[in-house]
């Protein structure tokens, strides 16, 4: 029979020393506790570590230096990912110190695009457990399984079923890289405590034959479950979360549309949850458009908006803009939707089109003749705003952009598809084809463009501007739900953080390097809204911003003392 070691440690106290009941190598093997060479001599004695680490006590800053030296020596992005993952699994404080201080350099590794390659290789590069896996075979056991997770307090759960990982499709259980990566950004960018995050992968099978044929694949070797079984599992999962961690926010991540929309509709008013692909994307795009409106000194309600692509990102963005128009102008939702024209792979989305409409497109279906191509729709509508969310690289041709520019002096063009190769046009093309008059933003980063002596800085509509702040705010005030109005508020708050200097350079988003300040400001706005609308689960603090800032995690080592078993 194995020996069960007692664990007691108080995770987040900053002022008092932390009491730790585990000792010796157990401390070194627990990434949330480990300080490696940074344990002081007193701590080494108190925790039974004398002799287990090299004699020299190294400050956190010295450890950071060593990590960066090793990290930067690696040239292969996947090797960099593996290196950072190993650090994450060894010493979380050091990992988050390095990540927070080098966020611009490391976000493309821990999240898109490199996390995509890591997910594809997940079974081949797997090293150590992190997060929880719930498979179809676990039906009936989920609540019990949650007792296996040794943290009593969880703020944010990011959950995926691996069915639509980034633009890579069905990656089954390999999708676990996404909840892990996203939560790392929550911690680094939003100041959520690492111990209060929980990545979860719902393994409902995979239809990816390559994975099913791969002997190193780590998920269930079966086709995806039928809908009835699938929804039963998700329901049991949601109920179990409510029971074990009733304050936790559930973030739905990378589900295929046929499940993403129904799940959001089913749970959005019942439990604290949101879908970043739908609502987070919506808010970040709306924020960019509000920045564009500031530049043009116009209103959203005066625009004609074409969406190229009619999937979850498109409908999420359109719904959030509708909420913005309603707020700004007092128009109804139906009136606001009349300003939108959506195109899918068959052309303009119309009521009486070439095939039956998926439910999420119905509210935007136009009562007019079908037009099969983008050029035709642009000629007919003369849009002021064109948003690309189709995953079709180079779809905004010179002809398309010039035709749009013919009818509007300063067109707004957002080419949001990722990765860069899928972007509907590049920043350089958009500026060149409109002689520098376009207001441009993209999903993937583009370098500044120099045109006739002027520098244009394209904005990147990165979801990271929004979700950490929304999650932080909702978790801190223990909101009962996340509303559309909260996402509108997040978008508005972000747009207001763009400086006049940034607008003058053509940028509709603030500098991402200010992410912690941005997240604190958005979280403050979310909390204030929750308190005003009676949705908060705690009493209103006197100073909400101070409350938010003092409850944000910063990666610094705590001081430990040994506890006596009691
Ligand atoms: P999705 O699969 O749900 O939707 C894609 C849509 O594009 C579908 O409606 C499809 O019919 C349409 N489409 C495909 N081919 C087309 C064609 N030739 N012409 C017109 N429409 C076509 O995917 P999604 O989640 O909506 O994501 C779409 C894109 O948006 C992805 O590339 C993704 O990277 C990007 N995205 C960007 C951000 C961001 O910038 N913050 C956030 C989320 C998604």
């Amino acid at each position: 029979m194995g020996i069960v070691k007692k664990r007691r440690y108080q995770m987040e106290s900053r002022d008092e020393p932390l009491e730790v009941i585990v000792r010796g190598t157990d401390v070194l093997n627990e990434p949330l506790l480990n300080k490696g060479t940074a344990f002081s001599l007193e701590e080494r004695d108190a925790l039974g570590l004398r002799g287990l680490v090299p004699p020299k006590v190294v400050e956190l800053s010295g450890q950071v230096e060593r990590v960066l030296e090793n990290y930067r020596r690696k040239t292969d992005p996947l090797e960099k990912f593996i290196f950072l993952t190993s650090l994450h699994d060894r010493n979380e404080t050091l990992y988050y110190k390095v990540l927070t201080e080098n966020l611009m350099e490391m976000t493309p590794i821990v999240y898109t695009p490199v996390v995509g390659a890591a997910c594809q290789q997940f079974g081949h590069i797997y090293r150590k457990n992190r997060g929880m896996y719930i498979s179809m075979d676990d039906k009936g056991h989920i609540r019990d399984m949650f007792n296996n997770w040794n943290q009593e307090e969880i703020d944010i759960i990011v959950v995926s079923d691996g069915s639509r990982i980034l633009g890579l499709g069905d990656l089954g259980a390999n999708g676990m890289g996404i909840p892990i990566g996203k939560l790392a950004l929550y911690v680094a960018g939003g100041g959520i405590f690492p111990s209060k995050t929980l990545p979860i992968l719902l393994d409902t099978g995979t239809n990816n034959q390559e994975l099913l044929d791969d002997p190193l694949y780590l998920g269930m070797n079966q086709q995806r479950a039928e809908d009835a079984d699938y929804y039963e599992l998700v329901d049991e999962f949601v109920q179990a979360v409510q029971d074990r961690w009733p304050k936790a926010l559930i973030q739905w991540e990378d589900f295929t549309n046929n499940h993403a929309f129904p799940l959001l509709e089913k749970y959005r008013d019942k439990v604290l949850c949101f879908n970043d692909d739908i609502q987070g994307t919506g808010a970040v795009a709306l924020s960019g458009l509000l920045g564009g409106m500031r530049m043009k000194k116009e209103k959203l309600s005066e625009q004609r908006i074409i969406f190229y692509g009619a999937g979850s990102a498109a409908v999420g963005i359109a719904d959030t803009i509708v909420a913005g128009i309603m707020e700004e102008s007092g128009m109804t939702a139906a009136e606001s939707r009349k300003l939108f024209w959506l195109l899918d792979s068959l052309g303009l989305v119309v009521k009486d089109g070439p095939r039956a409409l998926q439910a999420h497109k119905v509210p935007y279906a136009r009562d007019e003749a079908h037009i099969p191509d983008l050029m035709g729709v642009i000629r007919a509508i003369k849009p002021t705003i064109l948003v690309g969310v189709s995953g079709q690289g180079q779809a905004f041709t010179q002809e398309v952009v010039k035709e749009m520019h013919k009818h509007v002096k300063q067109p707004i063009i957002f080419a949001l598809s990722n990765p860069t190769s899928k972007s509907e046009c590049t920043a350089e093309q958009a500026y060149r084809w409109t002689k520098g008059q376009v207001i441009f933003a993209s999903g993937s980063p583009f370098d500044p463009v120099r045109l006739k002596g002027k520098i244009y800085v394209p904005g990147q509509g990165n979801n990271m501007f929004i979700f950490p702040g929304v999650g932080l705010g909702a978790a801190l005030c223990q909101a009962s739900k996340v509303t559309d109005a909260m996402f509108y508020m997040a978008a508005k708050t972000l747009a207001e953080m763009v400086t006049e200097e940034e607008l003058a350079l053509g940028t509709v988003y603030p500098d991402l390097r200010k992410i912690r300040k941005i997240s604190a400001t958005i979280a403050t706005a979310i909390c204030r809204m929750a308190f005003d609308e009676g949705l908060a689960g705690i009493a209103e603090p006197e100073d909400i911003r101070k409350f938010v800032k003092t409850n944000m995690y910063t990666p610094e080592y705590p001081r430990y003392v040994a506890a006596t078993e009691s």
Side-chain angles (χ1 to χ4, degrees):
M1 193 188 293
I3 300 167
V4 179
K5 288 211 171 69
K6 274 199 178 173
R7 291 179 160 266
R8 178 155 61 83
Y9 42 86
Q10 193 190 323
M11 287 306 306
E12 329 292 8
S13 160
R14 313 279 204 81
D15 308 326
E16 300 291 314
L18 289 178
E19 284 193 327
V20 179
I21 207 162
V22 286
R23 281 174 59 80
T25 44
D26 285 346
V27 178
L28 300 176
N29 289 334
E30 169 52 69
L32 285 166
L33 297 181
N34 190 16
K35 292 166 73 165
T37 52
F39 281 110
S40 69
L41 298 180
E42 294 75 28
E43 287 173 324
R44 293 176 190 202
D45 279 340
L47 302 174
L49 298 173
R50 199 180 258 256
L52 299 186
V53 279
K56 188 169 176 186
V57 177
V58 182
E59 296 286 314
L60 183 55
S61 56
Q63 295 180 311
V64 169
E65 205 177 307
R66 181 176 296 108
V67 167
L68 288 178
E69 189 183 300
N70 279 286
Y71 175 80
R72 290 183 180 144
R73 197 181 297 133
K74 296 187 186 303
T75 48
D76 177 23
L78 192 59
E79 288 303 322
K80 287 186 180 218
F81 177 92
I82 293 170
F83 174 81
L84 286 179
T85 301
S86 299
L87 176 63
H88 195 184
D89 293 341
R90 200 165 64 239
N91 180 335
E92 294 222 12
T93 312
L94 180 54
Y95 170 75
Y96 282 116
K97 185 77 175 171
V98 169
L99 185 59
T100 308
E101 289 182 351
N102 301 279
L103 204 56
M104 294 303 112
E105 178 181 353
M106 293 178 178
T107 301
I109 305 291
V110 297
Y111 209 66
T112 174
V114 178
V115 74
C119 284
Q120 287 172 312
Q121 295 292 319
F122 192 77
H124 295 255
I125 62 173
Y126 182 84
R127 303 287 199 275
K128 195 169 185 288
N129 59 298
R130 175 170 289 279
M132 293 197 78
Y133 297 81
I134 297 169
S135 77
M136 295 308 288
D137 284 358
D138 296 322
K139 250 189 190 172
H141 302 281
I142 301 178
R143 177 60 189 88
D144 285 345
M145 290 163 69
F146 281 166
N147 289 337
N148 296 341
W149 191 255
N150 66 3
Q151 298 295 331
E152 295 304 318
E153 272 189 59
I154 294 294
D155 279 346
I156 315 262
I157 290 170
V158 175
V159 61
S160 180
D161 67 357
S163 57
R164 200 231 54 175
I165 295 302
L166 305 170
L168 303 167
D170 181 354
L171 294 187
N174 283 8
M176 181 53 125
I178 295 294
I180 293 174
K182 199 107 190 190
L183 283 165
L185 300 186
Y186 260 112
V187 175
I192 301 287
F193 280 84
S195 62
K196 296 185 182 181
T197 66
L198 174 54
I200 294 187
L201 192 286
L202 299 177
D203 186 350
T204 57
T206 179
N207 295 343
N208 183 332
Q209 196 56 43
E210 215 176 297
L211 291 181
L212 293 173
D213 292 341
D214 180 352
L216 292 187
Y217 176 60
L218 289 165
M220 299 288 288
N221 216 269
Q222 61 191 44
Q223 295 285 314
R224 285 200 170 268
E226 296 292 325
D227 269 3
D229 281 346
Y230 176 92
Y231 284 116
E232 242 178 65
L233 185 88
V234 179
D235 212 42
E236 188 185 329
F237 156 74
V238 172
Q239 298 316 321
V241 170
Q242 302 318 301
D243 197 51
R244 171 82 160 107
W245 299 291
K247 291 185 280 182
L249 181 150
I250 299 172
Q251 193 201 289
W252 309 101
E253 183 74 27
D254 282 1
F255 287 73
T256 43
N257 286 335
N258 59 327
H259 292 143
F261 285 98
L263 288 175
L264 184 60
E265 278 320 303
K266 183 165 181 193
Y267 295 112
R268 60 183 301 160
D269 290 323
K270 294 199 184 90
V271 304
L272 183 60
C273 73
F274 70 85
N275 180 312
D276 186 51
D277 307 308
I278 301 174
Q279 296 160 290
T281 302
V284 84
L286 171 61
S287 175
L289 292 182
L290 291 173
M293 294 299 105
R294 269 179 71 191
M295 275 186 205
K296 292 181 73 170
K297 301 195 176 17
E298 289 180 6
K299 291 192 173 142
L300 285 173
S301 52
E302 299 161 351
Q303 309 304 311
R304 290 181 305 280
I305 309 170
I306 292 186
F307 274 77
Y308 190 67
S312 44
V315 171
I317 297 170
D319 283 351
T320 320
I321 301 174
V322 165
I325 295 172
M326 290 166 68
E327 189 77 24
E328 177 194 275
S329 67
M331 283 162 69
T332 64
E335 285 164 351
S336 308
R337 284 195 203 105
K338 293 213 167 99
L339 304 175
F340 292 80
W341 286 260
L342 270 55
L343 281 91
D344 62 15
S345 53
L346 296 183
L348 186 63
V349 173
V350 293
K351 284 190 178 142
D352 198 9
R355 72 168 166 216
L357 287 178
Q358 288 168 287
H360 64 272
K361 296 178 191 169
V362 171
Y364 292 95
R366 308 281 315 186
D367 200 1
E368 55 197 75
H370 178 253
I371 304 175
D373 65 313
L374 178 61
M375 195 64 183
V377 180
I378 294 209
R379 280 204 187 102
I381 306 307
K382 305 183 180 46
T384 54
I385 297 174
L386 174 62
V387 180
V389 271
S390 62
Q392 303 298 307
Q394 291 296 309
F396 297 168
T397 58
Q398 181 169 2
E399 203 191 3
V400 161
V401 172
K402 286 199 166 228
E403 179 65 28
M404 182 176 175
H405 190 210
K406 248 195 230 170
H407 308 287
V408 51
K409 190 165 166 247
Q410 265 187 301
I412 296 182
I413 299 183
F414 284 7
L416 296 181
S417 290
N418 295 316
T420 316
S421 61
K422 298 279 167 80
S423 190
E424 283 80 3
C425 65
T426 66
E428 204 263 334
Q429 289 170 329
Y431 289 116
R432 190 155 40 82
W433 293 338
T434 59
K435 300 191 170 54
Q437 284 179 313
V438 72
I439 296 172
F440 180 83
S442 54
S444 299
F446 283 110
D447 288 335
V449 173
R450 181 186 284 273
L451 202 69
K452 296 207 171 141
K454 195 172 169 202
I455 305 268
Y456 300 87
V457 183
Q460 189 198 350
N462 191 328
N463 287 29
M464 201 177 155
F465 280 123
I466 297 284
F467 70 79
V470 172
L472 177 68
L476 284 181
C477 72
Q478 292 174 25
S480 54
K481 60 178 175 174
V482 185
T483 60
D484 276 345
M486 287 179 185
F487 277 101
Y488 171 69
M489 180 55 74
K492 192 162 164 274
T493 306
L494 180 63
E496 284 162 5
M497 292 189 80
V498 186
T499 62
E500 290 299 329
E501 293 74 39
E502 283 163 338
L503 286 180
L505 288 170
T507 316
V508 289
Y509 293 106
D511 189 339
L512 193 56
R513 279 170 295 195
K514 292 190 266 181
I515 182 64
R516 286 179 71 92
K517 186 174 172 205
I518 292 168
S519 297
T521 309
I522 291 177
T524 304
I526 298 294
C527 285
R528 188 163 289 133
M529 193 165 211
F531 288 121
D532 288 350
E533 297 189 354
L535 296 173
I538 58 165
E540 184 170 341
E542 214 164 277
D543 182 338
I544 299 177
R545 187 166 178 99
K546 194 166 157 209
F547 162 74
V548 168
K549 287 186 86 171
T550 50
N551 280 293
M552 283 174 78
Y553 167 80
T554 41
E556 295 297 338
Y557 285 132
R559 200 157 46 84
Y560 294 110
V561 294
T564 45
E565 289 199 31
S566 53

